[in-house]
Amino acid sequence: MKATVNWQPSEDGLEFNGSMENGRTLSLDGNGNGLSPMEAVLISVGACSSVDVVEIMRKQRQDMHGCYCELSAQRAETAPRKFTEIHAHFVVTGNDINEKQIARAVQLSTEKYCSVMLMLTGNVDITTSYELKPS
């Protein structure tokens, strides 16, 4: 996997465009005019883990209609202002969802499959929870 991050000179001076070798792009901004790199990391935690949860629940043939992940994070007060805590709360909607299976899907994602979470393990206190809602 290869990527390029390209500075976009402007008055604000901190906008960057990232592009992957396959042509996909993402704009990031250090001035608060767009997603910051840290916001992108937080969203990536939720997206990566949600992919796992959805795939696991599909394999278990659960009648799932929706899944979203609410994330909250704390950062260090001083530089480097890295994440110190992240909480991921999964909300799954569907019919007759087995609670043990969603609990296991979240656990497997957190402990085994989510590469973004696993990269942060040992440096960030990551906690999870889930909620089931009928469709």
Side-chain angles (χ1 to χ4, degrees), residues 1-49:
M1 180 182 303
K2 293 183 180 183
T4 301
V5 177
N6 215 356
W7 177 47
Q8 304 300 301
S10 67
E11 274 187 44
D12 293 343
L14 293 176
E15 184 178 322
F16 296 84
N17 287 337
S19 58
M20 300 302 299
E21 62 186 328
N22 62 12
R24 293 187 178 119
T25 63
L26 174 67
S27 293
L28 298 168
D29 190 303
N31 283 330
N33 297 321
L35 277 182
S36 75
M38 290 299 285
E39 289 169 333
V41 170
L42 185 60
I43 287 172
S44 295
V45 167
C48 181
S49 190

Side-chain angles (χ1 to χ4, degrees), residues 2 4 18 22 28 34 42 56 72-73 78-80 89 105 111 126 128-129:
K2 293 183 180 183
T4 301
N22 62 12
L28 298 168
L42 185 60
I56 292 166
S72 58
T78 58
H89 179 73
E111 296 175 3
I126 299 176
T128 60
S129 59

